[in-house]
Amino acid sequence: MSGSKGRFAGSPKHEIERIPARKAAEIFKRCEQLLEESKPIFADFPRFGFASFLALLSDDILRLAVQPDSWGERLRARLMSDLAPALQGDPSGENQVSIEDIFYCANIIMPCLLLELGRRSRYLQIEFPSDPTNSEASFMFRTGNASPVHFIHNREIVSLARVCGPDFVALCYFGHQGSRQRIETKLEFGLQRSGSGVPSTGPKQ
């Protein structure tokens, strides 16, 4: 596979090491076994919640899940095959989840996996709602220890990842200070104008 490292704008000294194919295959296999062993969580997802799902995932699984290659795509699809029905209230899979529903869930969950990597590295602070796909649920997000607390909805998480993509990655992987400052500015002043449609700070009712 050509290009084993990925660069991002704003911090040329940093590079993201890609997980090679052989190790990716091992991680994928471990993830499949883990998901199979974790059926009780998916069967009663409203009680366990999204945090319990994240706690299952090792750093390697998270990194592979957000990796932009075929192995990352395979793992994302595998995760969503169990997670999307659970979020839709059909963990048994008796009713086939539509492509639209899977896309909607994945569009929200993928930025959450990246944010979880940043949280584990203590580059940011975030508290996930029990169901991140619920449009009324609120995320507590803080770009750093000295930054203000923001209460935002999932559509704002998606907007942030889209509008600030390279900085979003740089903060979550490396705690890049310039990226932190640009994201903070966007949260304070620009997210609403970027299409979120709701205030970006303050508690939600």
Side-chain angles (χ1 to χ4, degrees), residues 2-23:
S2 62
S4 62
K5 297 179 180 180
R7 291 183 180 274
F8 54 87
S11 183
K13 294 181 180 179
H14 289 131
E15 293 181 331
I16 298 172
E17 293 286 344
R18 293 286 183 89
I19 298 172
R22 180 175 295 181
K23 185 175 181 181

Side-chain angles (χ1 to χ4, degrees), residues 167-184:
D167 285 321
F168 196 73
V169 173
L171 174 62
C172 293
Y173 267 90
F174 305 111
H176 184 245
Q177 184 59 26
S179 295
R180 175 178 287 111
Q181 291 170 349
R182 286 187 288 272
I183 289 173
E184 187 60 43

Side-chain angles (χ1 to χ4, degrees), residues 69-171:
D69 65 4
S70 59
W71 277 108
E73 185 177 349
R74 285 184 64 187
L75 186 58
R76 290 191 290 275
R78 181 63 187 89
L79 290 172
M80 293 309 302
S81 69
D82 278 2
L83 186 57
L87 289 168
Q88 295 292 312
D90 183 31
S92 65
E94 291 181 0
N95 301 311
Q96 186 174 3
V97 180
S98 70
I99 297 297
E100 291 79 9
D101 285 341
I102 292 175
F103 179 80
Y104 170 79
C105 292
N107 202 34
I108 296 166
I109 297 303
M110 291 307 110
C112 291
L113 300 185
L114 192 54
L115 287 165
E116 173 65 6
L117 278 173
R119 186 196 69 81
R120 291 184 185 187
S121 297
R122 300 185 180 180
Y123 295 141
L124 55 87
Q125 298 174 21
I126 186 162
E127 293 180 3
F128 298 99
S130 179
D131 178 3
T133 64
N134 184 338
S135 61
E136 298 302 316
S138 180
F139 296 70
M140 187 286 288
F141 181 47
R142 197 177 189 188
T143 60
N145 291 332
S147 305
V149 174
H150 301 271
F151 293 90
I152 60 181
H153 286 162
N154 55 29
R155 59 189 176 275
E156 296 170 292
I157 292 285
V158 173
S159 177
L160 195 66
R162 174 175 52 84
V163 174
C164 304
D167 285 321
F168 196 73
V169 173
L171 174 62

